[in-house]
Amino acid sequence: MPTTLERTTITHTPRVQHLLDAARSRWPDERSAQLLINLAELGAQAVEQHDPTAATRIRREQLKQFATETYEAYGHAYDENYLAEVREGW
């Protein structure tokens, strides 16, 4: 299929075949290409967990996404005078 994205070709050397066999035990119905993607995702997660900078960046992205979703869901619930009105009641 035509694409402008970079492609990667991996030869099934004995080492790569071993990795695919291990992955196939976890995902038995997947094609080799999907197994390699699954392995890459797990590998990236492992690297990020051991890299404080990457882990912090990911956590910030997750928090930003949560804040956006929360604002979209509940941001309309209070108008700009809400806090002032609550404080007047104290």
Side-chain angles (χ1 to χ4, degrees), residues 5-74:
L5 301 175
E6 181 179 356
R7 290 183 184 263
T8 303
T9 302
I10 299 176
T11 302
H12 291 212
T13 62
R15 180 178 177 198
V16 171
Q17 190 58 54
H18 171 75
L19 298 173
L20 288 169
D21 292 341
R24 193 164 278 111
S25 69
R26 182 167 179 181
W27 301 287
D29 299 326
E30 298 289 349
R31 295 176 303 116
S32 293
Q34 186 60 49
L35 292 174
L36 290 168
I37 292 169
N38 295 348
L39 289 171
E41 287 176 347
L42 286 177
Q45 289 171 5
V47 169
E48 289 166 344
Q49 288 176 356
H50 289 86
D51 179 357
T53 305
T56 300
R57 177 184 47 78
I58 290 167
R59 184 70 180 139
R60 283 187 181 140
E61 290 170 5
Q62 291 170 336
L63 288 171
K64 188 184 290 186
Q65 180 64 30
F66 176 73
T68 300
E69 291 170 0
T70 302
Y71 181 78
E72 289 172 355
Y74 304 106

